[in-house]
Amino acid sequence: MSNSLKSKSMKGMAWTGASRLTTKVVQFLVGIVLARLLMPEDYGIIGMLAIFIAIAQTFIDSGFASALIQKKDRTETDYSTVFYFNFVISLFLYGLFYVSAPWIADFYSMPVLTDVIRVVTLALIINGLTIVQTAKLTIDLNFRLQAIASVMSVVLSGTIAIILAYKGWGVWALVFQGLFSAVVRAAILWTFSRWKPKRAFSYSSFQRLFSFGSKLLCSGMINTIYENLYTLVIGKTFSAAEVGFFNRGDHFAQLPTQTVQEMVVKVNYPILSSMQDDDAKLVTTYQKLLTAPVFLLYPLLVGLIVLAAPLVEFLIGAKWLPCVPILQIICVGCMFDPLTHINLNLLYVKGRSDLVLRLELIKKPIGFFILFVSIPFGILWMCAGRSLYSFIAFVFNCYYTKKMLDYGFYAQMRALFPIIVRSLLMGVAVFVITLYVTDVLAKLLIGILVGSLVYAILCYLMKDKTYMDIMQLVQKRLSR
């Protein structure tokens, strides 16, 4: 990459990383307080609606945000066209949810869901008003404003939720947390983004963008249904409390994964799109992007697996311990999720949304088969099947990377192997040293300290390039 592009990439990842880290930490702390004030059933009620809200949000976007970022000759008419489409679709979907709320409540045999749905889905309209602003800020590599909007929305909505939960509002504390978060974020983006839609809607512009975005809509819809089908099936087959345990375990496992994934994929998509016609530069940049995110992610996930029980008990209480095995199993699958998205990112950059859809049509039937086969064996086997699918999806997504850049599954695994070995050795060391420590807090603190030291020593001994780059950067900062 050129120095200016590299600088923009580093600044973008720094702002996105700081935003995601701050946001996740605040969400994490708020979640700890709420988990102590609320019951698993309250989380289960919200979790039952996840699939419907996620599908609706996918429809509202319809792949237009990615289409705008990928398009080189985008115009103000393109932006306005997408804005009006998003807004109209969000209004339509809210009306649909308002009418169908009683039927969804009957499906789960939970009357309270009728009012919950009609309030929580108001966020769809608000989010629909910010899709173009977010896409434009991403194109301009302005991640600072997005970071501020995200952090402020999480802090303020989290405060409201804690107050409501303390006053005994139950599930409504979670409902208003999501709604208020959407309002704050939209207010900040509309106030400071300096973009407003023009009175223009172009059918030809819509057609051009939709030709790219429609494939992403279809593939995104398939993926969204699969990702949220677990909560729906668990909510229908098991109790609301078990949905809550699944959601908490999944939340803990996804916390580091989503932070790293959004930090790398979101920032580098517009940058890679700018070099889509230069394969040599694209290959060099792509190879660096593969190992960087997992350098810290893998030891974090292994540490979560080993220290899951004391972490859960210390943070949110013993009543949540049933989520521990769920968390541990999901962590295994989370090791492959960022790799899957990084490989798909190449197809987005190349404008091959048709190949993205083709991959989803091949992979997802396998995922659905694994899900429905595992249902009779219980939640843990369902989670194990989901982790197995994450690995299968990674293998399939490497196919086109091999064809386009000659950097397929085996080449990527060779690059990742040293990180995997170091992470596993670190996990063994933490497990052995904390095996006979009985105090929960002591076990947690000793495990974190030992894990950090062992991983750093292994990186030094193996002369890991990412580790050396970080150390050089730290030394330069200290010398200043």
Side-chain angles (χ1 to χ4, degrees):
M1 288 188 289
S2 65
N3 289 333
S4 61
L5 207 56
K6 186 175 182 180
S7 175
K8 289 180 180 179
S9 176
M10 293 297 291
K11 286 181 181 178
M13 282 195 287
W15 272 110
T16 306
S19 165
R20 296 314 303 170
L21 183 61
T22 306
T23 300
K24 293 296 184 183
V25 168
V26 173
Q27 286 177 333
F28 188 67
L29 295 175
V30 169
I32 290 171
V33 178
L34 291 177
R36 290 184 175 273
L37 294 172
L38 302 175
M39 299 302 293
E41 290 83 356
D42 296 322
Y43 282 92
I45 292 171
I46 296 297
M48 291 174 183
L49 303 179
I51 186 170
F52 303 105
I53 295 173
I55 290 173
Q57 194 61 54
T58 304
F59 259 119
I60 292 171
D61 182 10
S62 296
F64 280 116
S66 295
L68 284 172
I69 295 171
Q70 195 273 340
K71 193 172 186 281
K72 284 186 173 182
D73 56 344
R74 62 190 80 87
T75 64
E76 284 298 317
T77 301
D78 292 330
Y79 289 122
S80 298
T81 298
V82 172
F83 174 82
Y84 292 121
F85 172 81
N86 290 337
F87 181 58
V88 171
I89 290 295
S90 64
L91 287 175
F92 171 76
L93 288 173
Y94 176 75
L96 191 63
F97 274 116
Y98 190 92
V99 172
S100 60
W103 299 334
I104 298 174
D106 288 341
F107 175 78
Y108 286 114
S109 301
M110 297 190 73
V112 69
L113 280 177
T114 299
D115 292 331
V116 169
I117 291 169
R118 288 173 173 174
V119 176
V120 79
T121 51
L122 283 169
L124 294 174
I125 300 175
I126 301 167
N127 289 333
L129 295 171
T130 62
I131 291 175
V132 172
Q133 277 90 344
T134 303
K136 197 171 191 311
L137 290 170
T138 302
I139 292 167
D140 296 337
L141 298 179
N142 184 353
F143 297 100
R144 179 175 177 271
L145 181 56
Q146 295 184 62
I148 294 171
S150 296
V151 172
M152 291 300 298
S153 64
V154 169
V155 170
L156 294 175
S157 64
T159 303
I160 293 294
I162 290 173
I163 294 171
L164 295 179
Y166 181 76
K167 290 182 175 292
W169 283 49
V171 68
W172 289 101
L174 299 175
V175 171
F176 286 109
Q177 180 186 19
L179 185 59
F180 196 67
S181 175
V183 170
V184 172
R185 184 175 182 275
I188 293 173
L189 291 181
W190 271 86
T191 303
F192 298 103
S193 69
R194 298 180 180 177
W195 180 87
K196 300 296 184 291
K198 297 183 179 299
R199 295 182 180 180
F201 184 92
S202 169
Y203 184 69
S204 60
S205 173
F206 177 86
Q207 280 186 314
R208 286 193 300 271
L209 292 168
F210 193 66
S211 65
F212 178 86
S214 60
K215 283 87 171 182
L216 296 186
L217 169 62
C218 294
S219 60
M221 189 62 60
I222 296 169
N223 188 61
T224 299
I225 292 172
Y226 172 77
E227 291 294 333
N228 292 276
L229 193 59
Y230 278 82
T231 304
L232 185 146
V233 170
I234 293 171
K236 183 64 178 174
T237 309
F238 305 97
S239 67
E242 287 174 299
V243 177
F245 291 135
F246 173 79
N247 280 353
R248 284 295 87 190
D250 187 54
H251 172 76
F252 274 102
Q254 296 289 348
L255 186 65
T257 307
Q258 289 180 351
T259 302
V260 170
Q261 189 170 293
E262 292 175 20
M263 192 172 122
V264 176
V265 175
K266 182 178 180 180
V267 173
N268 287 284
Y269 177 41
I271 292 175
L272 290 175
S273 294
S274 67
M275 59 179 74
Q276 58 186 270
D277 300 323
D278 189 340
D279 284 347
K281 186 183 292 186
L282 192 60
V283 169
T284 303
T285 306
Y286 179 81
Q287 290 175 343
K288 291 179 181 178
L289 287 178
L290 183 72
T291 54
V294 300
F295 172 76
L296 290 177
L297 178 62
Y298 278 13
L300 281 173
L301 290 174
V302 172
L304 265 177
I305 293 171
V306 177
L307 299 172
L311 180 69
V312 169
E313 185 174 357
F314 175 74
L315 291 178
I316 56 179
K319 68 180 178 182
W320 288 97
L321 283 175
C323 80
V324 167
I326 295 172
L327 161 63
Q328 292 170 323
I329 295 171
I330 294 177
C331 276
V332 177
C334 285
M335 292 181 176
F336 303 102
D337 289 342
L339 305 176
T340 297
H341 283 82
I342 290 171
N343 277 274
L344 276 183
N345 216 26
L346 173 67
L347 300 182
Y348 295 149
V349 167
K350 285 292 190 179
R352 296 304 305 270
S353 57
D354 57 320
L355 297 182
V356 176
L357 177 57
R358 183 183 299 177
L359 279 171
E360 292 301 317
L361 293 174
I362 295 171
K363 295 182 302 183
K364 284 306 181 286
I366 300 173
F368 289 129
F369 175 77
I370 293 173
L371 167 60
F372 289 111
V373 166
S374 63
I375 291 174
F377 300 98
I379 294 177
L380 294 184
W381 279 99
M382 292 170 65
C383 293
R386 179 173 160 182
S387 293
L388 172 63
Y389 171 76
S390 294
F391 174 73
I392 294 172
F394 167 53
V395 174
F396 273 95
N397 284 9
C398 289
Y399 174 75
Y400 287 113
T401 313
K402 170 69 174 175
K403 288 190 69 174
M404 292 183 177
L405 301 180
D406 193 27
Y407 196 61
F409 172 76
Y410 292 109
Q412 293 183 37
M413 289 305 297
R414 280 195 298 271
L416 297 172
F417 185 72
I419 301 175
I420 296 172
V421 171
R422 288 196 299 269
S423 301
L424 292 176
L425 290 174
M426 179 214 73
V428 171
V430 172
F431 176 78
V432 171
I433 292 175
T434 60
L435 188 60
Y436 298 105
V437 180
T438 55
D439 182 76
V440 172
L441 180 57
K443 191 166 191 166
L444 201 55
L445 292 176
I446 293 172
I448 293 172
L449 179 62
V450 169
S452 302
L453 287 174
V454 169
Y455 190 71
I457 291 170
L458 290 173
C459 288
Y460 175 77
L461 293 176
M462 298 175 72
K463 298 187 183 334
D464 181 83
K465 189 178 185 305
T466 305
Y467 174 79
M468 295 301 178
D469 289 342
I470 293 174
M471 288 298 101
Q472 287 179 2
L473 184 62
V474 170
Q475 288 174 0
K476 286 180 180 179
R477 293 289 182 185
L478 291 176
S479 65
R480 290 179 183 177

